[in-house]
């Protein structure tokens, strides 16, 4: 026994024990324990707490192995099984740590998040607490660094920003820190899904809670504060906020922002996220499933906010007319939000008959949209036939547009020299499956063009269609969009697509009668409603007048309808939903861009953003990643495989985007279906 305390040259003692060094973060104390490799992790923590002799709730604490960047959460595993020896240093630290979360509306909130959970699970818990359905669409993003600003100045600007925005919870609430996920045995009851007979939670006109606050959020800690702040859009208070925020100047800058997405299958701690760090909560996947204003007021508002900031910071391109339309919608939403807040301050406890609300919702669900009684809609596929001007830039650049009698059948456009020749052989024929469809519209100039990039063996053929009227454009554009996905005009979404296009165009109309335009008031601040590009081009008075003119087209909309229209208009923009990454393609000599959307991959020119080649997910057999050389290889059913090396970004981020969109495409309308977390990891993690 006298030899027990003798230390051997290898650091072990004569009795086979050795010293395990640990640091207790809460107490800032270093502690050493005599252990053997056969002791399990739970036993180590028990010994440590006994040695500390501090009365405290240690239930949230766990061991973190710094060198290997891993949590030791399997408490039944021994030190030997984990491979921990005398040279290891462990941290005994809380799993829930403080995080400063910036929501899509640019407001900051202090939250306690589980740093040992995988990011996918952590985001799910955050969304449950905030009552945001379909958390699989969101993720966490590191704050982009503005290369023009020095690091010290950047940190100062961040602090100013936080003070300027202020906490999300109202002063005087029980706590300004929100605990995310189960803590000390309490489980929040905000559901991520709802049943078809569930009572509507929000007013379908203004998005306000129908029931009292406590019932609205259940056991969520937000009920202690002011939950409606998440569902209400707050106007931008000063143009200085826009000036301070980082604006990507090019497609390459946009690609660099996407380097910051966190790995969903690893924990925050494993990815070097520090306590009190600022992370951005954003809609990562642009595939918004079952967006219902009656249940999704917060989700709709945060989506509206993300789209609003994307337009103001020029993260997505739009035309001048579209910008004025977006500004008019913003102005309208700001006015209604202020009025709505005032109204609900006066009647915060308005009663709603839950049975009536449920029956009303059921009636809407059963009735659906207007259906046609004509049997022809079911038994035959609709067709389009009209005179359309066609332009092939590569072959007929000097000749310009040429008028053809065009017929659109199934997913094919056939062009004839005249209507009389339409029963013969067409002069041109185009199969639109897998093509890129881009609008080129100017309402005031009566320009209604459709740009088609049609896949061929060696790339893409560019074809332009010019329509004469809005109605003709809407029908042909809707047909082209469906055909690109391999769908015909018999698809149930065709008429809805036509109506969406027509309403989008109608919102951009300028009101010719000045007597209906309200006089310019001081409450309109164009510097907070349009992007910097247009502020440089026009004077504030000119912009204000155009915003008020455009406002006449949206003035009758309810608050929630205006937000939904804003989101739909954002989705109609050509660049919507394309996430860019810098890549070098096999056989290519220079770096290009790979664009990933909900249904396809796009090879793009890094300078212009033009599509070079498109590959649809529906045609994909499988994809593989060579982790050593960062190469992603995608195999297709009837096309050569695609290989590219990711530049300046971990290929895991690209791999996760592809797998994530495949996962989202498997979602069904069954509202009671729970999220298959393991399937998400199988499709996105690459090694599970």
């Amino acid at each position: 026994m006298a030899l027990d305390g003798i230390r051997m040259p290898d650091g072990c003692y004569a009795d086979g024990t050795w010293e395990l060094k640990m640091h207790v973060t809460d107490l800032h104390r270093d502690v050493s324990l005599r252990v053997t490799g056969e002791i399990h992790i739970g036993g180590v923590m028990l010994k440590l707490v006994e040695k500390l002799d501090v009365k405290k709730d240690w239930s949230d604490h766990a061991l973190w192995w710094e060198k290997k960047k891993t949590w030791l959460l399997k408490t039944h595993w021994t030190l030997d099984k984990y491979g921990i020896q005398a040279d290891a240093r462990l941290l005994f630290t809380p799993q829930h740590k403080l995080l400063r979360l910036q929501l899509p509306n640019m407001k900051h909130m202090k939250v306690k998040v589980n740093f040992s959970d995988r990011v996918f699970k952590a985001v799910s818990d955050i969304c449950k607490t905030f009552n945001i359905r379909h958390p699989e669409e969101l993720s966490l993003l590191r704050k982009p660094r503005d290369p023009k600003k020095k690091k010290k100045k950047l940190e100062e600007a961040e602090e100013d920003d936080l003070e300027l925005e202020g906490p999300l919870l109202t002063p005087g609430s029980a706590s300004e820190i929100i605990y995310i996920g189960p803590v000390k045995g309490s489980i929040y009851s905000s559901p991520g899904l709802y049943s078809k007979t569930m009572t509507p939670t929000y007013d379908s006109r203004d998005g306000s809670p129908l029931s009292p606050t406590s019932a609205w959020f259940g056991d969520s800690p937000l009920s202690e504060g002011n939950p409606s702040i998440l569902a209400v859009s707050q106007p931008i208070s000063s143009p200085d906020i826009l000036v301070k925020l980082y604006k990507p100047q090019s497609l390459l800058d946009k690609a660099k922002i996407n380097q910051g997405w966190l790995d969903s299958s690893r924990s925050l701690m494993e990815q070097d996220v520090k306590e009190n760090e600022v992370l951005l909560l954003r809609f990562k996947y642009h595939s918004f499933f079952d967006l219902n204003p009656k249940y999704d007021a917060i989700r709709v508002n945060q989506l509206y906010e993300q789209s609003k900031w994307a337009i103001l910071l020029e993260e997505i391109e739009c035309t001048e007319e579209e910008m004025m339309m977006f500004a008019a919608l913003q102005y309208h939403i700001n006015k209604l939000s202020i009025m709505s807040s005032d109204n609900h301050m006066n009647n915060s406890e308005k009663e709603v008959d839950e049975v009536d609300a449920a029956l009303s919702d059921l009636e809407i669900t059963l009735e659906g949209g207007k259906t046609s009684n004509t049997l022809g809609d079911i038994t035959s596929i609709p067709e389009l036939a009209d005179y359309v001007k066609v332009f092939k830039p590569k072959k007929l650049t000097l000749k310009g547009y040429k008028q053809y009698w065009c017929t659109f059948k199934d997913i094919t456009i056939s062009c004839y020299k005249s209507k009389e020749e339409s029963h013969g052989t067409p002069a041109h024929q185009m199969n639109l499956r897998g093509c890129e469809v881009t609008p080129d519209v100017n309402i005031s100039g009566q320009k209604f063009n459709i740009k088609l990039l049609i896949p061929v063996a060696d790339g893409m053929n560019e074809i332009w269609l010019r329509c004469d009227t809005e109605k003709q454009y809407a029908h042909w554009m809707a047909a082209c969009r469906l055909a690109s996905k391999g769908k015909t005009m018999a698809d149930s979404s065709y008429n809805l697509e036509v109506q969406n296009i027509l309403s989008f165009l109608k919102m951009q109309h300028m009101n010719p009668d000045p007597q209906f335009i309200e006089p310019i008031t001081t409450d309109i601040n164009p510097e907070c409603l349009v992007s910097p590009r247009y502020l440089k081009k026009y004077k504030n008075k000119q912009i204000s007048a155009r915003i008020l003119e455009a406002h006449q087209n949206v003035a009758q909309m309810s608050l929630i309808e205006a937000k939904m229209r804003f989101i739909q208009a954002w989705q109609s923009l050509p660049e919507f939903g394309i996430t860019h990454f810098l890549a070098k393609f096999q056989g290519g000599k220079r770096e290009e861009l790979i664009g990933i959307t909900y249904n396809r991959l796009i090879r793009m020119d890094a300078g212009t953003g033009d599509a070079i080649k498109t590959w649809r997910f529906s045609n994909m057999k499988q994809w593989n990643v060579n982790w050593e050389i960062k190469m992603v290889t995608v195999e297709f059913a009837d096309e050569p495989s695609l290989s590219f090396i990711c530049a300046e970004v971990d290929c895991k981020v690209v791999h996760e985007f592809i797998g994530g969109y495949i996962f989202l495409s498997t979602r069904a309308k069954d509202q009671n279906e729970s999220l298959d977390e393991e399937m998400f990891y199988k499709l996105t993690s690459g090694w599970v």
Side-chain angles (χ1 to χ4, degrees), residues 561-579:
E561 185 191 353
K563 287 180 184 178
M564 291 292 283
R565 285 298 183 92
F566 195 102
I567 294 165
Q568 285 166 1
W570 174 50
Q571 290 175 299
S572 298
L573 296 176
E575 287 185 8
F576 168 78
I578 303 175
T579 306

PDB file of all heavy atoms in Angstrom, residues 561-579:
ATOM      1  N   GLU A 561     -52.522  39.645 -45.751  1.00  0.00           N
ATOM      2  CA  GLU A 561     -52.538  39.465 -47.203  1.00  0.00           C
ATOM      3  C   GLU A 561     -51.372  40.213 -47.845  1.00  0.00           C
ATOM      4  O   GLU A 561     -50.713  39.700 -48.759  1.00  0.00           O
ATOM      5  CB  GLU A 561     -53.860  39.969 -47.797  1.00  0.00           C
ATOM      6  CG  GLU A 561     -53.993  39.703 -49.291  1.00  0.00           C
ATOM      7  CD  GLU A 561     -55.171  40.416 -49.938  1.00  0.00           C
ATOM      8  OE1 GLU A 561     -55.987  41.017 -49.218  1.00  0.00           O
ATOM      9  OE2 GLU A 561     -55.246  40.376 -51.181  1.00  0.00           O
ATOM     10  N   ALA A 562     -51.103  41.426 -47.347  1.00  0.00           N
ATOM     11  CA  ALA A 562     -49.988  42.226 -47.888  1.00  0.00           C
ATOM     12  C   ALA A 562     -48.657  41.513 -47.658  1.00  0.00           C
ATOM     13  O   ALA A 562     -47.794  41.485 -48.543  1.00  0.00           O
ATOM     14  CB  ALA A 562     -49.975  43.607 -47.250  1.00  0.00           C
ATOM     15  N   LYS A 563     -48.504  40.905 -46.480  1.00  0.00           N
ATOM     16  CA  LYS A 563     -47.260  40.167 -46.195  1.00  0.00           C
ATOM     17  C   LYS A 563     -47.134  38.948 -47.108  1.00  0.00           C
ATOM     18  O   LYS A 563     -46.054  38.663 -47.632  1.00  0.00           O
ATOM     19  CB  LYS A 563     -47.222  39.727 -44.729  1.00  0.00           C
ATOM     20  CG  LYS A 563     -46.958  40.861 -43.746  1.00  0.00           C
ATOM     21  CD  LYS A 563     -46.929  40.334 -42.319  1.00  0.00           C
ATOM     22  CE  LYS A 563     -46.773  41.475 -41.325  1.00  0.00           C
ATOM     23  NZ  LYS A 563     -46.800  40.996 -39.925  1.00  0.00           N
ATOM     24  N   MET A 564     -48.255  38.229 -47.279  1.00  0.00           N
ATOM     25  CA  MET A 564     -48.238  37.051 -48.149  1.00  0.00           C
ATOM     26  C   MET A 564     -47.934  37.447 -49.598  1.00  0.00           C
ATOM     27  O   MET A 564     -47.177  36.764 -50.289  1.00  0.00           O
ATOM     28  CB  MET A 564     -49.571  36.309 -48.071  1.00  0.00           C
ATOM     29  CG  MET A 564     -49.838  35.621 -46.743  1.00  0.00           C
ATOM     30  SD  MET A 564     -48.730  34.216 -46.423  1.00  0.00           S
ATOM     31  CE  MET A 564     -49.455  32.964 -47.470  1.00  0.00           C
ATOM     32  N   ARG A 565     -48.509  38.573 -50.051  1.00  0.00           N
ATOM     33  CA  ARG A 565     -48.248  39.048 -51.413  1.00  0.00           C
ATOM     34  C   ARG A 565     -46.780  39.447 -51.572  1.00  0.00           C
ATOM     35  O   ARG A 565     -46.180  39.226 -52.628  1.00  0.00           O
ATOM     36  CB  ARG A 565     -49.156  40.240 -51.738  1.00  0.00           C
ATOM     37  CG  ARG A 565     -50.595  39.872 -52.009  1.00  0.00           C
ATOM     38  CD  ARG A 565     -50.710  38.962 -53.242  1.00  0.00           C
ATOM     39  NE  ARG A 565     -52.099  38.658 -53.546  1.00  0.00           N
ATOM     40  CZ  ARG A 565     -52.857  39.351 -54.377  1.00  0.00           C
ATOM     41  NH1 ARG A 565     -52.364  40.392 -55.001  1.00  0.00           N
ATOM     42  NH2 ARG A 565     -54.109  38.988 -54.603  1.00  0.00           N
ATOM     43  N   PHE A 566     -46.209  40.054 -50.531  1.00  0.00           N
ATOM     44  CA  PHE A 566     -44.796  40.435 -50.566  1.00  0.00           C
ATOM     45  C   PHE A 566     -43.925  39.189 -50.732  1.00  0.00           C
ATOM     46  O   PHE A 566     -43.011  39.148 -51.564  1.00  0.00           O
ATOM     47  CB  PHE A 566     -44.420  41.176 -49.274  1.00  0.00           C
ATOM     48  CG  PHE A 566     -43.109  41.915 -49.333  1.00  0.00           C
ATOM     49  CD1 PHE A 566     -43.074  43.289 -49.511  1.00  0.00           C
ATOM     50  CD2 PHE A 566     -41.897  41.246 -49.218  1.00  0.00           C
ATOM     51  CE1 PHE A 566     -41.873  43.983 -49.567  1.00  0.00           C
ATOM     52  CE2 PHE A 566     -40.683  41.918 -49.278  1.00  0.00           C
ATOM     53  CZ  PHE A 566     -40.674  43.298 -49.453  1.00  0.00           C
ATOM     54  N   ILE A 567     -44.239  38.138 -49.940  1.00  0.00           N
ATOM     55  CA  ILE A 567     -43.474  36.884 -50.008  1.00  0.00           C
ATOM     56  C   ILE A 567     -43.624  36.239 -51.391  1.00  0.00           C
ATOM     57  O   ILE A 567     -42.650  35.779 -51.990  1.00  0.00           O
ATOM     58  CB  ILE A 567     -43.926  35.911 -48.893  1.00  0.00           C
ATOM     59  CG1 ILE A 567     -43.562  36.484 -47.512  1.00  0.00           C
ATOM     60  CG2 ILE A 567     -43.304  34.537 -49.070  1.00  0.00           C
ATOM     61  CD1 ILE A 567     -44.269  35.804 -46.347  1.00  0.00           C
ATOM     62  N   GLN A 568     -44.870  36.238 -51.922  1.00  0.00           N
ATOM     63  CA  GLN A 568     -45.113  35.640 -53.244  1.00  0.00           C
ATOM     64  C   GLN A 568     -44.376  36.411 -54.342  1.00  0.00           C
ATOM     65  O   GLN A 568     -43.825  35.816 -55.270  1.00  0.00           O
ATOM     66  CB  GLN A 568     -46.615  35.623 -53.535  1.00  0.00           C
ATOM     67  CG  GLN A 568     -47.363  34.554 -52.759  1.00  0.00           C
ATOM     68  CD  GLN A 568     -48.868  34.749 -52.780  1.00  0.00           C
ATOM     69  OE1 GLN A 568     -49.386  35.678 -53.401  1.00  0.00           O
ATOM     70  NE2 GLN A 568     -49.584  33.876 -52.082  1.00  0.00           N
ATOM     71  N   ALA A 569     -44.358  37.754 -54.214  1.00  0.00           N
ATOM     72  CA  ALA A 569     -43.647  38.579 -55.201  1.00  0.00           C
ATOM     73  C   ALA A 569     -42.146  38.310 -55.130  1.00  0.00           C
ATOM     74  O   ALA A 569     -41.460  38.238 -56.163  1.00  0.00           O
ATOM     75  CB  ALA A 569     -43.934  40.058 -54.941  1.00  0.00           C
ATOM     76  N   TRP A 570     -41.622  38.133 -53.926  1.00  0.00           N
ATOM     77  CA  TRP A 570     -40.206  37.775 -53.720  1.00  0.00           C
ATOM     78  C   TRP A 570     -39.909  36.439 -54.396  1.00  0.00           C
ATOM     79  O   TRP A 570     -38.898  36.286 -55.090  1.00  0.00           O
ATOM     80  CB  TRP A 570     -39.947  37.727 -52.211  1.00  0.00           C
ATOM     81  CG  TRP A 570     -38.607  37.244 -51.761  1.00  0.00           C
ATOM     82  CD1 TRP A 570     -37.379  37.651 -52.197  1.00  0.00           C
ATOM     83  CD2 TRP A 570     -38.361  36.276 -50.725  1.00  0.00           C
ATOM     84  NE1 TRP A 570     -36.379  36.999 -51.501  1.00  0.00           N
ATOM     85  CE2 TRP A 570     -36.954  36.146 -50.597  1.00  0.00           C
ATOM     86  CE3 TRP A 570     -39.175  35.519 -49.889  1.00  0.00           C
ATOM     87  CZ2 TRP A 570     -36.357  35.288 -49.665  1.00  0.00           C
ATOM     88  CZ3 TRP A 570     -38.582  34.671 -48.962  1.00  0.00           C
ATOM     89  CH2 TRP A 570     -37.199  34.560 -48.866  1.00  0.00           C
ATOM     90  N   GLN A 571     -40.835  35.476 -54.230  1.00  0.00           N
ATOM     91  CA  GLN A 571     -40.656  34.152 -54.836  1.00  0.00           C
ATOM     92  C   GLN A 571     -40.713  34.212 -56.362  1.00  0.00           C
ATOM     93  O   GLN A 571     -40.202  33.313 -57.028  1.00  0.00           O
ATOM     94  CB  GLN A 571     -41.733  33.192 -54.311  1.00  0.00           C
ATOM     95  CG  GLN A 571     -41.550  32.806 -52.853  1.00  0.00           C
ATOM     96  CD  GLN A 571     -42.701  31.959 -52.338  1.00  0.00           C
ATOM     97  OE1 GLN A 571     -43.850  32.391 -52.325  1.00  0.00           O
ATOM     98  NE2 GLN A 571     -42.404  30.753 -51.916  1.00  0.00           N
ATOM     99  N   SER A 572     -41.347  35.261 -56.906  1.00  0.00           N
ATOM    100  CA  SER A 572     -41.468  35.397 -58.367  1.00  0.00           C
ATOM    101  C   SER A 572     -40.220  35.994 -59.016  1.00  0.00           C
ATOM    102  O   SER A 572     -40.099  35.985 -60.241  1.00  0.00           O
ATOM    103  CB  SER A 572     -42.670  36.290 -58.710  1.00  0.00           C
ATOM    104  OG  SER A 572     -43.859  35.705 -58.242  1.00  0.00           O
ATOM    105  N   LEU A 573     -39.297  36.531 -58.214  1.00  0.00           N
ATOM    106  CA  LEU A 573     -38.091  37.139 -58.778  1.00  0.00           C
ATOM    107  C   LEU A 573     -37.192  36.052 -59.380  1.00  0.00           C
ATOM    108  O   LEU A 573     -37.075  34.954 -58.818  1.00  0.00           O
ATOM    109  CB  LEU A 573     -37.325  37.922 -57.705  1.00  0.00           C
ATOM    110  CG  LEU A 573     -38.062  39.127 -57.101  1.00  0.00           C
ATOM    111  CD1 LEU A 573     -37.223  39.757 -55.989  1.00  0.00           C
ATOM    112  CD2 LEU A 573     -38.391  40.162 -58.156  1.00  0.00           C
ATOM    113  N   PRO A 574     -36.525  36.348 -60.503  1.00  0.00           N
ATOM    114  CA  PRO A 574     -35.706  35.331 -61.185  1.00  0.00           C
ATOM    115  C   PRO A 574     -34.628  34.708 -60.308  1.00  0.00           C
ATOM    116  O   PRO A 574     -34.335  33.525 -60.435  1.00  0.00           O
ATOM    117  CB  PRO A 574     -35.075  36.112 -62.349  1.00  0.00           C
ATOM    118  CG  PRO A 574     -35.988  37.266 -62.586  1.00  0.00           C
ATOM    119  CD  PRO A 574     -36.590  37.614 -61.259  1.00  0.00           C
ATOM    120  N   GLU A 575     -34.032  35.494 -59.400  1.00  0.00           N
ATOM    121  CA  GLU A 575     -32.919  34.984 -58.585  1.00  0.00           C
ATOM    122  C   GLU A 575     -33.387  34.318 -57.289  1.00  0.00           C
ATOM    123  O   GLU A 575     -32.562  33.864 -56.492  1.00  0.00           O
ATOM    124  CB  GLU A 575     -31.959  36.121 -58.226  1.00  0.00           C
ATOM    125  CG  GLU A 575     -31.110  36.608 -59.380  1.00  0.00           C
ATOM    126  CD  GLU A 575     -30.089  37.649 -58.928  1.00  0.00           C
ATOM    127  OE1 GLU A 575     -29.940  37.872 -57.707  1.00  0.00           O
ATOM    128  OE2 GLU A 575     -29.442  38.250 -59.790  1.00  0.00           O
ATOM    129  N   PHE A 576     -34.706  34.273 -57.049  1.00  0.00           N
ATOM    130  CA  PHE A 576     -35.196  33.742 -55.780  1.00  0.00           C
ATOM    131  C   PHE A 576     -34.749  32.297 -55.554  1.00  0.00           C
ATOM    132  O   PHE A 576     -34.816  31.467 -56.452  1.00  0.00           O
ATOM    133  CB  PHE A 576     -36.728  33.798 -55.726  1.00  0.00           C
ATOM    134  CG  PHE A 576     -37.296  33.004 -54.580  1.00  0.00           C
ATOM    135  CD1 PHE A 576     -37.271  33.508 -53.296  1.00  0.00           C
ATOM    136  CD2 PHE A 576     -37.806  31.722 -54.780  1.00  0.00           C
ATOM    137  CE1 PHE A 576     -37.767  32.762 -52.231  1.00  0.00           C
ATOM    138  CE2 PHE A 576     -38.304  30.976 -53.732  1.00  0.00           C
ATOM    139  CZ  PHE A 576     -38.282  31.510 -52.452  1.00  0.00           C
ATOM    140  N   GLY A 577     -34.321  32.032 -54.323  1.00  0.00           N
ATOM    141  CA  GLY A 577     -34.055  30.657 -53.903  1.00  0.00           C
ATOM    142  C   GLY A 577     -32.784  30.041 -54.427  1.00  0.00           C
ATOM    143  O   GLY A 577     -32.547  28.850 -54.234  1.00  0.00           O
ATOM    144  N   ILE A 578     -31.917  30.838 -55.097  1.00  0.00           N
ATOM    145  CA  ILE A 578     -30.642  30.291 -55.592  1.00  0.00           C
ATOM    146  C   ILE A 578     -29.557  30.574 -54.560  1.00  0.00           C
ATOM    147  O   ILE A 578     -29.286  31.729 -54.233  1.00  0.00           O
ATOM    148  CB  ILE A 578     -30.245  30.900 -56.956  1.00  0.00           C
ATOM    149  CG1 ILE A 578     -31.344  30.674 -58.001  1.00  0.00           C
ATOM    150  CG2 ILE A 578     -28.928  30.309 -57.440  1.00  0.00           C
ATOM    151  CD1 ILE A 578     -31.077  31.347 -59.336  1.00  0.00           C
ATOM    152  N   THR A 579     -28.972  29.526 -54.020  1.00  0.00           N
ATOM    153  CA  THR A 579     -27.863  29.672 -53.073  1.00  0.00           C
ATOM    154  C   THR A 579     -26.568  29.427 -53.833  1.00  0.00           C
ATOM    155  O   THR A 579     -26.386  28.365 -54.432  1.00  0.00           O
ATOM    156  CB  THR A 579     -27.998  28.660 -51.915  1.00  0.00           C
ATOM    157  OG1 THR A 579     -29.301  28.805 -51.329  1.00  0.00           O
ATOM    158  CG2 THR A 579     -26.944  28.908 -50.854  1.00  0.00           C
TER     159      THR A 579
END
